Amino acid sequence: MEIRIEKTKNPKAKPDEENLAFGKIFTDHMFIMDYEEGKGWHDPRIVPFGPIEVLPSLSIFHYGQAVFEGMKAYKSPTGKIRLFRPEQNMKRLNRSNERVCIPPIDEEFCLTAVKTLVDLDRDWVPKAEGTALYIRPFIIATDLVLKLKPSSSYKFMIILSPVGAYYPQGINPVDIYVENQYVRAVPGGTGYAKTSANYAASMKAQAEAEEKGYVQVLWVNGEYVQEVGSMNVFFKIDGEVVTPELDGSILPGITRDSVIKLLQSWDVPVVERKLTIDEVFEAARSGRLEEAFGTGTAAVISPVGGLDWNGHFIKINDGKTGELSAKIYENITGIQTGEIEDPFGWIVEI
Ligand SMILES: *Cc1c(COP(=O)(O)O)cnc(C)c1O
């Protein structure tokens, strides 16, 4: 398939790189492709970023049949543009599609679409330290009918947003509320899919945790630790790094996988297994919980400084960023931006 390109006649002014928020400003162009039953994915095009006309009966408004991805493009010191394991995002998009009955995309073609769009808007990739171009591919159901069934038509779109440094004041641990009333996902549910409905389900707990003065929630299912906010979670206990195993209720993060591979390459013991919140608190009480951190594309590494569970508070590593957490952060961000050589073949240059 050939991507038709219609360039904007009114290029926008670029934002101030030192004051970028997250996901508020978008670049000059976007990618769109349509799906119809019998016809498949067709009419891939890049057009000026702008409104799309829809009717109120559009099925995505009613039943939430939508999936998305989140990835970043970084500018290297030599001005090259670098994507981090983008083929993994396309693979995961198809696993999410499968879970919510959206027809599969051609992963290779969609990666070409990402590269073509980023290349066209390459002047929008910021170069200030910690900044990046956030890439948001997503798919929505577009049938114009209220019948509850998988849609027979869809739109795949990609939009781009220059984003600021996640840690303008330097990497900083945060306090987390262990959520024991609401759940994000259960085995058999949609937790492993990056589908919009999961995020609607998580907002109330997040809002209540913020009211109590916490930055994020730690999700548990019954007694088992799952994720922290929209990040995967790791605990260093007695020199061993533990992360919850992928049981279908946990989003298989690409940062998570990269951290595991990095630790293995350093011969740091790392295991994926079931982990109870009791075990985490017991390890903290007996002085064996050395570090805890979340992982995700937005922050890369987010150290956990303390956990509140049922009114019991534990402080982790004195509320400071752990040595291993900092080392992982420096190495992954270094590989992403090109300051550190990539021994894993993770980087795709545009
Ligand atoms: C996207 C996401 C993550 C992190 O995945 P990355 O690929 O590392 O960005 C973790 N948990 C949830 C719920 C997510 O949506």
Side-chain angles (χ1 to χ4, degrees):
M1 271 193 297
E2 185 97 7
I3 302 174
R4 180 164 57 80
I5 299 179
E6 180 198 332
K7 284 194 194 165
T8 182
K9 295 192 177 65
N10 305 299
K12 293 178 270 193
K14 308 283 187 302
D16 172 11
E17 285 192 7
E18 304 296 332
N19 288 300
L20 290 169
F22 185 87
K24 282 196 175 166
I25 295 167
F26 296 91
T27 65
D28 282 327
H29 299 94
M30 62 184 182
F31 174 88
I32 311 183
M33 175 167 72
D34 302 303
Y35 179 93
E36 274 164 62
E37 224 164 66
K39 210 170 162 189
W41 289 106
H42 62 276
D43 196 16
R45 59 210 184 266
I46 290 173
V47 294
F49 182 89
I52 53 168
E53 201 179 352
V54 297
L55 290 171
S57 52
L58 198 75
S59 46
I60 175 58
F61 292 150
H62 305 278
Y63 307 121
Q65 201 192 1
V67 294
F68 68 92
E69 271 303 323
M71 53 212 281
K72 280 176 173 176
Y74 306 85
K75 198 163 262 177
S76 78
T78 58
K80 293 248 172 63
I81 291 170
R82 297 160 70 87
L83 301 176
F84 183 72
R85 310 185 74 186
E87 71 292 340
Q88 297 297 321
N89 294 89
M90 297 300 125
K91 262 192 202 156
R92 185 169 66 190
L93 190 57
N94 262 342
R95 290 198 303 266
S96 301
N97 280 340
E98 198 273 332
R99 181 64 182 84
V100 295
C101 299
I102 294 176
I105 51 146
D106 177 334
E107 292 167 21
E108 218 174 287
F109 177 77
C110 289
L111 182 51
T112 300
V114 167
K115 289 186 198 165
T116 308
L117 181 64
V118 171
D119 188 30
L120 185 64
D121 280 345
R122 62 189 298 133
D123 291 346
W124 284 85
V125 184
K127 46 187 172 300
E129 169 140 21
T131 64
L133 184 72
Y134 187 78
I135 305 168
R136 168 55 60 86
F138 64 105
I139 302 174
I140 57 169
T142 55
D143 274 1
L144 299 170
V145 55
L146 295 183
K147 190 170 161 52
L148 178 54
K149 64 167 180 59
S151 184
S152 63
S153 60
Y154 298 87
K155 270 191 195 309
F156 174 100
M157 306 179 70
I158 308 168
I159 55 177
L160 308 175
S161 174
V163 295
Y166 198 87
Y167 296 110
Q169 269 92 45
I171 185 168
N172 233 337
V174 292
D175 286 347
I176 306 278
Y177 182 76
V178 182
E179 180 54 58
N180 53 15
Q181 181 184 0
Y182 306 111
V183 294
R184 189 191 88 91
V186 291
T190 54
Y192 70 87
K194 237 171 155 71
T195 179
S196 307
N198 287 339
Y199 302 86
S202 73
M203 286 179 189
K204 191 170 166 63
Q206 174 68 25
E208 289 185 10
E210 280 173 27
E211 264 169 44
K212 292 180 191 117
Y214 295 92
V215 176
Q216 298 262 339
V217 300
L218 177 70
W219 297 105
V220 292
N221 169 36
E223 54 188 327
Y224 294 109
V225 172
Q226 296 178 306
E227 303 194 40
V228 43
S230 51
M231 286 184 283
N232 295 112
V233 68
F234 288 76
F235 299 90
K236 183 165 173 249
I237 302 171
D238 261 345
E240 182 184 66
V241 181
V242 184
T243 191
E245 67 186 19
L246 300 176
D247 65 351
S249 74
I250 290 167
L251 201 290
I254 294 160
T255 320
R256 174 188 182 277
D257 184 70
S258 307
V259 167
I260 292 171
K261 292 195 162 68
L262 197 60
L263 290 174
Q264 286 168 342
S265 79
W266 293 340
D267 290 325
V268 174
V270 51
V271 291
E272 301 170 71
R273 64 165 168 87
K274 285 192 187 309
L275 175 72
T276 65
I277 187 66
D278 237 350
E279 182 184 341
V280 171
F281 270 66
E282 190 41 48
R285 280 188 208 106
S286 55
R288 291 174 300 120
L289 177 59
E290 297 159 19
E291 299 184 30
F293 55 91
T295 67
T297 295
V300 183
I301 298 291
S302 177
V304 178
L307 286 172
D308 180 320
W309 180 35
N310 283 333
H312 301 285
F313 187 78
I314 54 170
K315 215 167 189 168
I316 301 167
N317 193 39
D318 239 354
K320 295 202 278 286
T321 300
E323 214 173 288
L324 187 64
S325 310
K327 188 175 166 194
I328 296 168
Y329 179 79
E330 277 154 29
N331 276 269
I332 292 188
T333 54
I335 290 172
Q336 286 168 335
T337 58
E339 276 145 45
I340 294 178
E341 213 199 314
D342 164 26
F344 300 97
W346 284 340
I347 295 301
V348 174
E349 278 193 349
I350 304 175

